[in-house]
Amino acid sequence: MTHTNSTRFAGGSGFAGLRERFAAFRGGIRGLVMAALGLAIVLLVWQAIVRAFSVPVYLVPAPTDVLVALYNDRILLAQNAVPTITEAALGFLLGNIFAILVAISFVYNKIVEDLFYPVAILIKTIPIIAIAPVLKIMLGNGIEPKVLIAALICFFPTLVNAVQGFRAVNPQLIELMHVLSASKTQVFRRVRFYAALPYAFAALKVSVTMCVLGAIVGEWIGANTGIGYLILQSMYVFDTPRLFATIIVASLMAIAGFALVTWVESRVIHWDPGENF
Amino acid sequence: MPVAIDLSQVSVTFGTGDRSIEAISEVTLTVQEGEFVSLIGHSGCGKSTLLRVIADIIPPTTGHVEVLGVAPTDARRQRAVSMVFQQSVLMPWETVLANVRMPLEVGPQVRRSPDAMSPHDALRLVELDGFENAYPSQLSGGMRQRVSIARALVTRPRILLMDEPFGALDELVRDTLNVEILRIWKETGMTIVFVTHSLQEAVFLSQRVAVMSRRPSRIARTIHVDLPQDRQISVKDSSALGRHVSRLRAVLDEG
Ligand SMILES: Nc1ncnc2c1ncn2[C@@H]1O[C@H](COP(=O)(O)OP(=O)(O)OP(=O)(O)O)[C@@H](O)[C@H]1O
Ligand SMILES: [Mg+2]
């Protein structure tokens, strides 16, 4: 984190900064190559075992069978990915925006926090899967229950982290703002907001993968389209290669979301959150 | 000379019941406008507490405080008092310039007084012009502390409270900043109250050194420093300064 910082400022980056960056780049490449190699080994062993013991394809397909399914069903997979991505993305936005608004109200008003934080924790202990049928009854078969389940899953990690983050301010900075007669809102906009960002992003990285899960669970309860629906369909007809291909698509969604949030984080947080001068 | 800070019989007690701590006890101290006064005393004797009472961060439990003839809260609202801590307390997400400008952008509108300094001038005063767009993480500890001094000066306070501002810096940087703070003090005519653990630093900088006794502490003695007004860094090694340091140490050991 510190070396990306020092290269940002033209005056501070010299030859050393450049070399450091190159070393980091090479280290990143090496990590990627090793990870790809490890994955390749696992896939090869998998392929060899399935072929050597002639495992029936409906039980465990070989990686090549899955690849063929990914290619053959590409249109079907893409068509069903669209609603799931939509539900997950809407749920992500809804859940996180709401969580941050609630966290702000907690920080502004201790009474609100004392009243509703325990309620939030209580709701959190209920397994989401158990709530899903209730939401289906209340909201029907449309997109709404899926979005809501995805939002619910996102809500809690972000709420907890945002509350913690808004408070994770150097107490001397708060004293300084007091000496400057800064208002609560000014302290919030100038200090708490930035102090909370690293915490918020940590939560967003968790919830971006969880919201895909939420959308899929929502589809399981009742849907005629989407990745969750396709998983059930493939299971009923014992189309195991397609089932695996669908799982891969779901996992790619989560990875893409994670990469996106990580990228935004690296753009937004340009300072080292660990440092406290 | 008008009085800048007037403390009479000020006590501060933290907590209540049998777990309460009397941090300072009936402290009486008067600081004239334009004076440079240092506060020394053993760790935990209430030096920071005293500064925080003057800065209106904590109220005194008993006793009377006047800052520039008004209550500390009014002095604070008038932006008459600035504070520098041992840590520079900069916002790492803002540039040097934005950090220094911050005091002009918060607080009630009245504070945007025409006599505030431009942030660039404040940076020039601490010899950091050219670093406006750097981030705190790109500066050395000494430079960061200069930024925090510039931030304290930008409102043109009449009183500057400094709580071990150079305590975390190495000796060479400390010497440089000692000379610099004296120059700034002369240029601005501010009143400075300076807390330090270094007896040498206290003598070198101040016109007067107030020694606090152990808890519950009061001001044990105030010693006038009769060194020449124009102090070069070499004064730090002079025998005159050494004699003052010995006297202070004797007073500290009594307390
Ligand atoms: N907010 C607080 N709550 C309870 N006790 C406190 C608080 N602030 C300070 N104290 C106590 O008051 C006493 C004086 O503290 P203070 O920080 O003023 O000492 P100090 O002279 O600045 O010490 P140091 O030289 O180590 O900075 C200490 O015993 C400390 O534990
Ligand atoms: Mg202290």
Side-chain angles (χ1 to χ4, degrees):
Chain A
M1 200 71 207
T2 23
H3 55 258
T4 53
N5 260 338
S6 60
T7 48
R8 201 173 296 276
F9 175 48
S13 78
F15 178 63
L18 218 79
R19 211 166 53 176
E20 224 176 77
R21 206 155 61 160
F22 182 62
F25 175 70
R26 267 218 322 219
I29 292 282
R30 186 183 173 279
L32 273 180
V33 168
M34 294 305 271
L37 210 65
L39 188 63
I41 290 172
V42 170
L43 290 178
L44 268 174
V45 171
W46 175 358
Q47 181 89 21
I49 292 175
V50 168
R51 288 286 181 258
F53 296 94
S54 311
V55 183
V57 74
Y58 69 86
L59 263 189
V60 182
T64 46
D65 299 329
V66 178
L67 249 140
V68 169
L70 262 176
Y71 181 77
N72 287 341
D73 294 334
R74 62 190 185 281
I75 310 270
L76 182 74
L77 288 167
Q79 277 169 348
N80 284 284
V82 172
T84 308
I85 291 174
T86 312
E87 293 150 11
L90 286 176
F92 180 78
L93 288 178
L94 189 74
N96 285 305
I97 290 174
F98 194 59
I100 286 170
L101 289 180
V102 172
I104 291 175
S105 78
F106 281 4
V107 173
Y108 263 88
N109 195 327
K110 185 87 182 81
I111 296 176
V112 174
E113 177 176 7
D114 291 345
L115 280 175
F116 295 113
Y117 209 0
V119 178
I121 300 289
L122 203 71
I123 296 175
K124 181 193 153 47
T125 57
I126 305 171
I128 293 290
I129 309 225
I131 302 183
V134 179
L135 292 178
K136 183 196 147 81
I137 290 175
M138 290 187 333
L139 298 169
N141 254 335
I143 191 176
E144 296 88 351
K146 289 113 193 169
V147 171
L148 210 63
I149 292 165
L152 263 177
I153 285 192
C154 295
F155 179 75
F156 293 103
T158 304
L159 174 68
V160 172
N161 267 35
V163 168
Q164 207 184 342
F166 286 136
R167 301 237 157 88
V169 180
N170 181 352
Q172 289 204 311
L173 198 46
I174 298 293
E175 283 191 0
L176 183 86
M177 296 304 270
H178 172 80
V179 174
L180 294 170
S181 307
S183 69
K184 227 171 171 173
T185 307
Q186 284 166 340
V187 174
F188 205 94
R189 289 205 353 237
R190 304 288 311 233
V191 179
R192 291 195 193 280
F193 171 76
Y194 292 96
L197 277 179
Y199 288 79
F201 271 107
L204 293 186
K205 280 195 243 177
V206 174
S207 64
V208 78
T209 57
M210 297 292 281
C211 70
V212 176
L213 179 80
I216 289 174
V217 167
E219 287 167 355
W220 280 355
I221 304 301
N224 42 31
T225 175
I227 289 295
Y229 160 80
L230 200 58
I231 287 174
L232 291 187
Q233 274 304 307
S234 312
M235 183 186 78
Y236 291 141
V237 300
F238 285 94
D239 191 344
T240 321
R242 197 216 271 161
L243 181 58
F244 272 63
T246 316
I247 293 169
I248 287 175
V249 170
S251 141
L252 283 179
M253 283 181 195
I255 292 172
F258 188 84
L260 184 68
V261 173
T262 308
W263 178 77
V264 173
E265 180 187 32
S266 74
R267 303 265 88 191
V268 172
I269 300 182
H270 56 82
W271 65 96
D272 183 348
E275 65 200 355
N276 218 349
F277 310 128
Chain B
M1 266 236 170
V3 171
I5 301 164
D6 192 19
L7 305 169
S8 65
Q9 310 246 301
V10 172
S11 305
V12 174
T13 308
F14 290 110
T16 48
D18 27 307
R19 285 177 60 197
S20 68
I21 300 174
E22 189 168 33
I24 53 176
S25 166
E26 302 193 348
V27 166
T28 298
L29 177 71
T30 306
V31 179
Q32 309 293 325
E33 258 198 75
E35 222 184 347
F36 198 129
V37 174
S38 284
L39 272 180
I40 60 169
H42 295 280
S43 184
C45 75
K47 304 179 293 292
S48 300
T49 303
L50 197 58
L51 285 200
R52 290 161 81 195
V53 167
I54 300 169
D56 190 41
I57 295 170
I58 48 177
T61 310
T62 59
H64 185 72
V65 185
E66 246 178 50
V67 178
L68 297 164
V70 295
T73 307
D74 296 325
R76 164 168 70 78
R77 293 244 171 88
Q78 291 162 15
R79 276 296 152 96
V81 183
S82 278
M83 187 133 178
V84 175
F85 300 92
Q86 178 167 1
Q87 262 71 44
S88 55
V89 203
L90 300 178
M91 301 181 286
W93 48 84
E94 303 269 30
T95 61
V96 164
L97 187 63
N99 267 288
V100 174
R101 200 178 350 158
M102 192 266 289
L104 306 176
E105 295 169 344
V106 300
Q109 299 292 317
V110 235
R111 306 299 137 54
R112 250 150 265 181
S113 53
D115 52 63
M117 208 182 279
S118 100
H120 294 278
D121 288 343
L123 280 170
R124 207 164 297 129
L125 210 53
V126 296
E127 298 179 342
L128 266 187
D129 32 340
F131 287 91
E132 285 83 355
N133 297 321
Y135 282 91
S137 61
Q138 294 155 346
L139 305 180
S140 68
M143 289 159 93
R144 275 182 219 143
Q145 201 52 295
R146 282 171 204 248
V147 176
S148 92
I149 293 171
R151 176 179 59 188
L153 295 176
V154 78
T155 50
R156 282 193 206 276
R158 286 165 70 190
I159 298 174
L160 181 60
L161 306 174
M162 307 183 88
D163 194 351
E164 300 185 44
F166 311 136
L169 305 176
D170 66 65
E171 202 176 332
L172 291 176
V173 178
R174 178 185 272 236
D175 282 350
T176 317
L177 286 175
N178 279 173
V179 173
E180 233 160 82
I181 200 70
L182 274 183
R183 192 199 79 229
I184 291 169
W185 172 60
K186 277 175 199 144
E187 274 178 41
T188 56
M190 279 181 304
T191 309
I192 298 185
V193 182
F194 191 99
V195 171
T196 176
H197 275 134
S198 160
L199 305 184
Q200 214 191 14
E201 183 176 54
V203 174
F204 176 72
L205 293 173
S206 325
Q207 297 176 306
R208 220 149 44 97
V209 181
V211 185
M212 292 178 79
S213 60
R214 285 187 202 277
R215 252 192 23 235
S217 66
R218 27 189 107 230
I219 306 278
R221 179 114 42 103
T222 309
I223 287 175
H224 283 267
V225 178
D226 46 7
L227 291 175
Q229 273 304 318
D230 192 28
R231 295 176 198 175
Q232 309 295 323
I233 195 65
S234 58
V235 172
K236 271 206 177 176
D237 302 319
S238 70
S239 56
L241 186 134
R243 276 195 299 278
H244 281 93
V245 169
S246 314
R247 266 178 73 203
L248 285 177
R249 184 157 290 131
V251 177
L252 268 176
D253 289 344
E254 280 168 28

